[in-house]
Amino acid sequence: MDDDDCLVPVGDTQEHDHFEKLDTVPMVSVPLIAGVALEITGIIFISIWPEEENKCDTYFILLYLHCAFWLLIMIVDYFVKEKHHHLRISGYLDFYQSTYQHIRTPFFISSLWNAVYLLLSVILHHAHKNNYEDYCRRSEWFTPLNYILLLTTFELMIIVPVYINYIKRVRRFNRTKPPPDVTREEWLTSFTQESYAGEVGFEQKGLNTAELLEKQADLIRYLRDHNVKLSIRMMLLASQVRNIQNA
């Protein structure tokens, strides 16, 4: 038996004929818009709300808003991961790998920034524990609110481009409607050629071993999940046959 034939998933080919769009663009658009709104809110607090007696209040309000922003990203991250998990078990392994960092980066960055905000708050409260409110009101440039807005700007400079790039990739994916990787002969051919390109104990120059192993792991996971789906389908068919025979 040919090596390529061993890698072709067993099952009804009609399962892959129906293309399901990846509907994650509306999901990631919510934290994207929320992040821009958070930045605008910070600018408003500094420029339009300059009363000295409210400087501490706006600082804490912005911290609360960032906590809500982090919670929103966490919720969206969960649902987007579920969508991409379904995409992976459907056979779109290359697209899953190419967008994996895009769906994980915003949550990682916002979580890291929460730790930075916590450290900043501890430092400021420790340095000005006796006159913290006076420090908020009398400082002009080095206020806690300015620190938070500056850090938020750096955070969004990472998160916003990642979300925009992800949205572009998803729209291109939905527009082209590609077949699953595991059904494309050229994908399987290149995979087997890379797998058996070198001898045992010898690594060819230019061969990306890490990428090859990652692709192998994705293919194994896909075949495992696909076999589970086929097993469930066979059990249902067997149950239907028994019901017909007993009728």
Side-chain angles (χ1 to χ4, degrees), residues 188-225:
L188 292 172
T189 302
S190 64
F191 175 77
T192 53
Q193 287 177 351
E194 291 177 357
S195 300
Y196 304 104
E199 299 177 356
V200 177
F202 175 75
E203 182 178 353
Q204 284 190 342
K205 184 177 180 180
L207 183 62
N208 193 338
T209 306
E211 182 179 354
L212 175 60
L213 293 176
E214 190 174 18
K215 186 180 292 187
Q216 286 178 336
D218 285 337
L219 185 59
I220 291 172
R221 283 194 294 265
Y222 167 78
L223 293 175
R224 181 192 61 193
D225 295 336

Side-chain angles (χ1 to χ4, degrees), residues 10-231:
V10 181
D12 187 4
T13 56
Q14 294 179 354
E15 180 181 344
H16 300 297
D17 292 339
H18 178 65
F19 177 80
E20 294 184 6
K21 288 188 176 182
L22 184 62
D23 54 350
T24 55
V25 172
M27 296 182 187
V28 300
S29 298
V30 175
L32 175 61
I33 297 174
V36 176
L38 180 64
E39 179 73 12
I40 295 175
T41 302
I43 296 175
I44 292 175
F45 282 168
I46 291 179
S47 58
I48 304 180
W49 199 347
E51 291 83 0
E52 292 185 356
E53 62 272 13
N54 295 326
K55 284 187 177 181
C56 284
D57 295 336
T58 53
Y59 161 70
F60 288 113
I61 291 174
L62 200 60
L63 283 179
Y64 289 137
L65 290 177
H66 187 273
C67 290
F69 178 60
W70 171 83
L71 182 62
L72 178 62
I73 290 181
M74 183 183 67
I75 296 174
V76 171
D77 177 78
Y78 172 79
F79 287 104
V80 171
K81 282 194 302 183
E82 288 295 319
K83 292 289 185 178
H84 277 256
H85 174 73
H86 177 72
L87 191 72
R88 179 176 63 81
I89 65 177
S90 298
Y92 295 96
L93 306 180
D94 284 346
F95 183 79
Y96 173 83
Q97 285 296 334
S98 64
T99 56
Y100 180 77
Q101 296 300 330
H102 291 79
I103 64 176
R104 300 300 296 153
T105 298
F107 181 62
F108 173 78
I109 294 298
S110 61
S111 300
L112 177 63
W113 250 248
N114 272 349
V116 174
Y117 290 149
L118 177 61
L119 178 62
L120 175 64
S121 299
V122 170
I123 293 175
L124 292 178
H125 279 80
H126 181 75
H128 306 278
K129 54 186 175 182
N130 295 326
N131 58 344
Y132 190 76
E133 291 189 2
D134 293 337
Y135 168 70
C136 286
R137 295 171 181 175
R138 295 178 181 177
S139 300
E140 294 184 1
W141 295 104
F142 300 102
T143 64
L145 180 60
N146 289 351
Y147 287 136
I148 293 297
L149 181 60
L150 181 62
L151 290 173
T152 302
T153 302
F154 288 145
E155 177 187 16
L156 294 176
M157 287 175 62
I158 302 174
I159 293 179
V160 169
V162 170
Y163 273 140
I164 293 177
N165 191 13
Y166 173 78
I167 291 174
K168 290 181 179 179
R169 286 174 176 264
V170 172
R171 285 181 174 176
R172 188 185 308 117
F173 175 78
N174 291 333
R175 184 175 61 253
T176 56
K177 298 180 180 180
D181 298 327
V182 293
T183 62
R184 292 191 289 114
E185 183 178 355
E186 63 273 13
W187 188 87
L188 292 172
T189 302
S190 64
F191 175 77
T192 53
Q193 287 177 351
E194 291 177 357
S195 300
Y196 304 104
E199 299 177 356
V200 177
F202 175 75
E203 182 178 353
Q204 284 190 342
K205 184 177 180 180
L207 183 62
N208 193 338
T209 306
E211 182 179 354
L212 175 60
L213 293 176
E214 190 174 18
K215 186 180 292 187
Q216 286 178 336
D218 285 337
L219 185 59
I220 291 172
R221 283 194 294 265
Y222 167 78
L223 293 175
R224 181 192 61 193
D225 295 336
H226 193 73
N227 287 336
V228 171
K229 292 167 62 178
L230 290 178
S231 299

